Amino acid sequence: MYLDELNPQQKEAVCQIDGPIMIIAGAGSGKTKTLTCKIAYDLQQGISPYNILALTFTNKAAAEMKERITDLVGTPAKYILMGTFHSIFARILRQESDKLGYVSRFTIYDTDDSKSLIKSIIKDMGLDDKTYQTSFVLDRISKAKNSLFSPTDYLNSIDIQAEDRASHKPKIGYIYQQYARRLRGAMAMDFDDLLFNMNILLRDFPEVLRKYQERFKYIMVDEYQDTNFSQYLIVKKLAAFHRNICVVGDDAQSIYSFRGASIRNILSFKTDYPDAKTFKLEQNYRSTQNIVNAANCVIANNEDQIKKIVWTSNEEGSRIHYSGLDSDRAEAEYVCEQIRNRFYDNDADYCHFAVLYRTNMQSRVIEEAMRLRNIPYRLYGGLSFYARKEIKDVLAYFRLVSNNNDNEAFLRSVRTPSRGIGDTTLNRLKILAEEHNSSLFYVAANLHNIPSNINKPTVTKLVEFCQNIYSFSKRIESNNACELGEEIIRFSGIKTALHNEETLEAEERINNIDELINSLQAFVKREEAILIDELTGEEITQKERTLDVFLSQVSLMADIEEENDNIDRVTLMTVHAAKGLEFPYVFIVGMEENLFPSMLSLTSKADTEEERRLFYVAITRAKKELFITSARMRFKYGELLYSECSRFLAEIDDKYLSQSIESKKAFPVSSSKPSLKLNEKKKQPLVSLLKPVGGNPANVLKKFEIGQRVHHSRFGSGTIKLLDGEGDNRKAIVDFDQSGEKTLVLRFAKLEFE
């Protein structure tokens, strides 16, 4: 039996069924196996799969666990409601959509859709798009939603408005207001709305809350340390009645505060549930003893943590290889040399190697070195299949057919491929839509009856386009996704336009559209004869495998869909992207002050501790050998900068390293202590999640100060956002009007006052 394969701590956690449970799972301790066995055990103890809710952070994790549970207990696993927070709550919101004033077929906007809408709003409001950068505005709105601040709350907050004024962006609240209004008008939600509106649903409709409390008698949450305030509240409300909640995670791997995740959720679990039983999984099955011990040395320096001692019975292994190189190019050459040596001498495959870095910009030099030496590699975290332009073009048609109110889908589809409908026409349509308080589609479809200054040939094109779309909409319930999808693709003319380009790139895009058709076919013709709606427990018939259901699944595939091409390649990726993965050989490059830890993390104890946790995650990705490198000189933002060795390296005991601490002091370890200042309020205040844009006003350097306008010979004019360091290492982060943020060493930068 599977219980016999568990260690005593895992088995004890698995066999605890009722009440609040916290499983602290150290790196490589068999977390997924434990959670999988726990759900299987619950089912075998007579708990109905219909009463279990399992929440994960990736579709991949949910699919893997469900497959494992099915292997253990068979058919009952199919009825468990298991998936990501966003996918589960989207299904509930569709079921209860009328209560919030939405249609059940509401559109879910991805990041690109949201950016496009915000860009349009900024333009319509006559704001400077260099000041109101789309990504910044969207991030600000996202943090507000995840802290449950509505547009009205945002505009009424004295602290938030002060922050926006300090950042010279006082209109963000009004952009947020317009963004929310336009989303509602389009019958659309963005990803953050799925959490925001789920909270509203449970808050304002007690009967709905009670319905799902009764349904979800047992709640499991994976990676609990990554939950944000909004997710925390939803889970707490759902679990309040039966209190059978099991959270699994590792506070030492909490690295996503920039997304709104709060480590306080896991650290305070015992406060929320005083009677909770805690189980610690401390045996590491992944790494050698030297790697595990080095990771323990590092994480021991954090104050905010749940104490545990991770250990392993694996072999001692080689010491961690540390090398301080002269430059980033020398660093890249060293990495390539070590990979080549092990590829030939150890009979290792290239796919056994991963190179981890703190920022994406570090990959360029490594890529160049690998290309010169014919070492195959892949950049992890590229575009997912559903994020490719040609796929998004086709999906825009699908979305418009499913939801005629979707203005972003209308704008994309009506212009792709070109129909001779330009910006002037679309701007006139937008004005008409505002005047009639309706969607662009409605106005365009009725142009024969609405007075406008759009010429007759264009009116005819628009009306005919809408008539065709509407004819597809009427068939959405009667045709399966594949039948209707293929017809829509033919109508769109996208494949024909690509054929006419007669390029290799166009041919590849056509192949991608054909692959989308394959996914439609697979959706309709699943190998299993019966599909179960996990929310209702009812069978999904062939007739219900419609285009809108397909779209609802696709829109939530937020995970990066990595190509499974079986090509033997080295993996290059950020440390954040590496969480949850493992490799026999791992290189952590760029272990330098102001790079790792990041310069922006040194203004608060909380941020510095998160950077340390990020380093801990990087170390624990390695199974067999770990390499850590630093460079004395590195090109950043076009400047050659001298670097100091990262403070984190001094925290590793010499006995686990290939070089002693004295050797590391070839580049002096920074003795500066991070400021312990910053808002570290517990959860809900938005101010604690939105970093003060202007930096710390007390951190003033000689001659320069935050907020000052300066000029650079290459980058032009800009505003100083942050100052850090002393003497020759004084640095400034400057937000340049034309080229964005740059980090400059002041003794090299030659900044002039404006």
Side-chain angles (χ1 to χ4, degrees):
M1 187 180 175
Y2 58 85
L3 289 178
D4 297 333
E5 299 174 5
L6 303 174
N7 67 35
Q9 292 73 31
Q10 291 172 331
K11 187 173 181 179
E12 192 177 1
V14 164
C15 294
Q16 177 65 41
I17 297 177
D18 296 321
I21 302 165
M22 179 166 63
I23 301 174
I24 300 299
S29 63
K31 171 180 70 72
T32 302
K33 180 179 181 180
T34 304
L35 187 54
T36 298
C37 291
K38 174 159 184 51
I39 296 174
Y41 184 79
D42 287 353
L43 291 171
Q44 290 184 329
Q45 300 310 301
I47 295 172
S48 168
Y50 186 74
N51 294 134
I52 295 175
L53 171 65
L55 296 166
T56 67
F57 273 85
T58 67
N59 294 308
K60 181 180 177 184
E64 180 183 345
M65 280 200 286
K66 198 154 196 177
E67 184 178 348
R68 289 195 195 183
I69 297 167
T70 302
D71 289 341
L72 293 176
V73 299
T75 303
K78 295 179 184 178
Y79 295 86
I80 298 171
L81 189 57
M82 177 182 291
T84 66
F85 283 86
H86 293 89
S87 66
I88 298 297
F89 299 156
R91 295 170 75 167
I92 292 175
L93 288 168
R94 290 194 192 281
Q95 191 88 359
E96 312 291 344
S97 57
D98 59 313
K99 295 177 179 62
L100 298 176
Y102 283 87
V103 296
S104 62
R105 280 197 241 160
F106 63 80
T107 301
I108 299 174
Y109 277 16
D110 64 16
T111 302
D112 287 342
D113 298 322
S114 295
K115 284 183 176 179
S116 176
L117 179 54
I118 287 173
K119 186 176 181 181
S120 174
I121 292 168
I122 290 168
K123 182 179 179 182
D124 292 346
M125 290 177 67
L127 300 173
D128 182 3
D129 59 5
K130 294 184 179 63
T131 300
Y132 291 89
Q133 296 173 335
T134 305
S135 295
F136 181 93
V137 173
L138 180 59
D139 182 64
R140 192 81 168 160
I141 292 172
S142 176
K143 285 187 169 74
K145 287 185 179 181
N146 285 321
S147 297
L148 303 184
F149 274 63
S150 68
T152 301
D153 297 329
Y154 193 102
L155 287 167
N156 289 339
S157 169
I158 295 172
D159 290 333
I160 295 171
Q161 294 308 303
E163 286 183 3
D164 284 349
R165 285 193 298 272
S167 69
H168 309 293
K169 300 174 178 65
K171 300 291 186 182
I172 289 180
Y174 297 100
I175 298 173
Y176 181 13
Q177 194 175 52
Q178 283 295 310
Y179 177 64
R181 187 179 71 81
R182 294 200 192 181
L183 279 173
R184 166 72 72 161
M187 284 291 121
M189 298 185 196
D190 63 17
F191 281 173
D192 296 319
D193 284 327
L194 298 176
L195 303 179
F196 187 91
N197 287 331
M198 187 68 185
N199 269 290
I200 291 174
L201 182 68
L202 299 181
R203 181 195 70 192
D204 295 350
F205 299 91
E207 72 282 6
V208 174
L209 173 60
R210 186 53 187 248
K211 170 184 171 181
Y212 289 105
Q213 284 177 335
E214 285 288 352
R215 162 77 190 271
F216 304 133
K217 295 179 180 177
Y218 292 84
I219 298 174
M220 322 278 180
V221 185
D222 191 18
E223 304 287 9
Y224 191 65
Q225 78 280 351
D226 293 334
T227 53
N228 61 30
F229 177 58
S230 185
Q231 291 162 329
Y232 161 85
L233 272 188
I234 295 168
V235 170
K236 191 173 183 182
K237 286 177 182 176
L238 289 175
F241 188 70
H242 292 287
R243 300 185 78 255
N244 296 320
I245 177 172
C246 174
V247 302
V248 184
D250 182 7
D251 57 291
Q253 297 185 66
S254 178
I255 59 173
Y256 293 122
S257 68
F258 66 94
R259 295 180 186 169
S262 173
I263 191 174
R264 294 292 159 196
N265 293 346
I266 194 167
L267 294 180
S268 303
F269 188 78
K270 290 282 285 185
T271 303
D272 292 334
Y273 304 94
D275 57 332
K277 291 183 169 59
T278 301
F279 303 92
K280 295 181 181 179
L281 310 184
E282 297 172 302
Q283 183 175 359
N284 180 298
Y285 293 94
R286 176 188 299 156
S287 308
T288 64
Q289 291 179 25
N290 275 317
I291 292 171
V292 169
N293 291 335
N296 286 341
C297 287
V298 171
I299 203 64
N301 289 274
N302 272 7
E303 292 179 18
D304 291 336
Q305 62 172 299
I306 297 170
K307 294 294 183 183
K308 58 185 175 297
I309 301 174
V310 179
W311 61 278
T312 183
S313 60
N314 292 342
E315 64 180 359
E316 181 180 1
S318 61
R319 290 186 177 187
I320 294 166
H321 309 281
Y322 169 75
S323 292
L325 289 309
D326 288 331
S327 67
D328 49 0
R329 292 192 177 279
E331 179 181 61
E333 289 168 4
Y334 169 82
V335 169
C336 290
E337 179 186 3
Q338 297 303 317
I339 290 174
R340 273 291 174 85
N341 288 345
R342 279 151 187 80
F343 180 77
Y344 289 113
D345 298 342
N346 294 12
D347 198 28
D349 296 325
Y350 284 124
C351 63
H352 294 160
F353 297 88
V355 183
L356 310 183
Y357 34 79
R358 180 64 182 82
T359 64
N360 278 306
M361 68 179 183
Q362 293 170 253
S363 73
R364 181 186 60 81
V365 177
I366 298 167
E367 287 184 73
E368 289 175 358
M370 289 189 173
R371 283 199 296 268
L372 283 172
R373 291 159 182 77
N374 293 318
I375 295 176
Y377 68 89
R378 67 166 179 171
L379 277 173
Y380 189 99
L383 281 179
S384 72
F385 175 79
Y386 291 101
R388 293 180 171 97
K389 180 186 180 301
E390 61 277 9
I391 300 303
K392 288 183 72 66
D393 289 340
V394 172
L395 292 178
Y397 280 86
F398 290 179
R399 283 168 43 188
L400 187 59
V401 168
S402 179
N403 175 10
N404 296 160
N405 293 306
D406 189 340
N407 288 336
E408 290 302 307
F410 175 85
L411 289 171
R412 186 165 191 140
S413 57
V414 82
R415 289 184 289 193
T416 310
S418 176
R419 292 182 171 81
I421 298 170
D423 289 342
T424 301
T425 298
L426 294 174
N427 286 334
R428 289 170 179 169
L429 274 180
K430 289 177 184 177
I431 293 170
L432 289 171
E434 286 284 334
E435 290 174 353
H436 289 79
N437 193 27
S438 62
S439 68
L440 294 172
F441 180 89
Y442 174 84
V443 171
N446 291 280
L447 277 175
H448 285 322
N449 303 314
I450 297 176
S452 73
N453 53 358
I454 300 173
N455 64 62
K456 286 187 177 180
T458 303
V459 167
T460 301
K461 288 178 189 175
L462 285 166
V463 171
E464 288 181 354
F465 173 82
C466 292
Q467 286 174 342
N468 279 290
I469 292 294
Y470 187 63
S471 69
F472 291 130
S473 298
K474 289 193 294 185
R475 296 165 52 195
I476 204 163
E477 300 293 342
S478 58
N479 292 85
N480 70 45
C482 189
E483 292 169 349
L484 193 58
E486 287 193 82
E487 284 192 50
I488 294 169
I489 290 171
R490 281 195 293 272
F491 161 73
S492 74
I494 293 173
K495 286 182 71 173
T496 301
L498 289 170
H499 273 301
N500 292 338
E501 289 184 19
E502 297 182 349
T503 64
L504 288 174
E505 182 184 6
E507 197 63 36
E508 183 179 343
R509 290 182 173 183
I510 291 169
N511 291 338
N512 287 336
I513 294 174
D514 289 338
E515 183 58 32
L516 178 63
I517 294 172
N518 290 339
S519 70
L520 285 165
Q521 292 171 340
F523 170 72
V524 172
K525 300 176 181 178
R526 292 277 172 87
E527 291 180 9
E528 298 171 334
I530 298 176
L531 290 178
I532 302 299
D533 185 325
E534 295 160 336
L535 186 60
T536 64
E538 298 173 354
E539 178 183 341
I540 301 175
T541 67
Q542 284 291 136
K543 288 183 180 179
E544 291 169 328
R545 299 181 194 183
T546 52
L547 191 64
D548 59 321
V549 178
F550 173 80
L551 269 178
S552 69
Q553 293 186 7
V554 167
S555 62
L556 291 160
M557 290 182 182
D559 304 347
I560 298 299
E561 304 289 343
E562 290 300 321
E563 297 177 12
N564 186 20
D565 52 17
N566 296 318
I567 297 175
D568 189 26
R569 301 183 288 184
V570 177
T571 298
L572 310 184
M573 66 201 310
T574 64
V575 183
H576 280 103
K579 186 170 176 288
L581 303 177
E582 58 184 43
F583 301 88
Y585 304 93
V586 170
F587 294 81
I588 307 173
V589 299
M591 286 305 301
E592 299 137 31
E593 284 293 287
N594 299 319
L595 182 56
F596 202 169
S598 162
M599 177 181 181
L600 295 178
S601 74
L602 302 181
T603 56
S604 80
K605 168 180 167 285
D607 288 346
T608 304
E609 291 205 347
E610 176 152 334
E611 286 287 299
R612 186 176 284 111
R613 293 194 295 270
L614 189 61
F615 184 39
Y616 175 84
V617 167
I619 292 172
T620 54
R621 298 312 94 197
K623 297 168 68 175
K624 186 175 181 180
E625 282 190 86
L626 176 64
F627 302 79
I628 300 177
T629 61
S630 299
R632 290 180 178 85
M633 294 179 291
R634 184 178 298 276
F635 269 97
K636 294 181 190 174
Y637 311 110
E639 304 277 351
L640 182 62
L641 303 180
Y642 289 87
S643 303
E644 294 179 349
C645 184
S646 170
R647 68 187 68 194
F648 294 154
L649 286 178
E651 296 172 355
I652 301 176
D653 195 305
D654 284 353
K655 63 186 176 184
Y656 306 126
L657 288 160
S658 60
Q659 294 186 33
S660 70
I661 190 68
E662 293 303 319
S663 298
K664 287 188 289 180
K665 284 185 178 176
F667 327 55
V669 177
S670 171
S671 60
S672 62
K673 298 290 184 183
S675 166
L676 301 188
K677 180 185 179 298
L678 222 105
N679 298 325
E680 292 184 20
K681 297 178 183 178
K682 185 169 176 197
K683 291 187 178 73
Q684 59 270 38
L686 177 67
V687 184
S688 67
L689 296 177
L690 298 178
K691 304 291 183 185
V693 180
N696 181 356
N699 187 14
V700 178
L701 297 177
K702 181 182 178 182
K703 293 178 65 178
F704 294 100
E705 60 184 34
I706 292 168
Q708 195 168 44
R709 293 287 293 176
V710 292
H711 187 272
H712 187 275
S713 59
R714 176 182 298 177
F715 304 126
S717 297
T719 304
I720 295 177
K721 292 186 65 178
L722 184 66
L723 294 162
D724 185 71
E726 298 293 337
D728 288 344
N729 291 313
R730 288 174 178 166
K731 302 175 182 69
I733 293 182
V734 183
D735 186 3
F736 289 102
D737 299 341
Q738 301 296 326
S739 46
E741 288 188 6
K742 307 290 182 187
T743 302
L744 305 174
V745 175
L746 291 176
R747 67 184 171 120
F748 295 127
K750 298 180 181 177
L751 289 175
E752 302 291 339
F753 296 121
E754 278 201 340

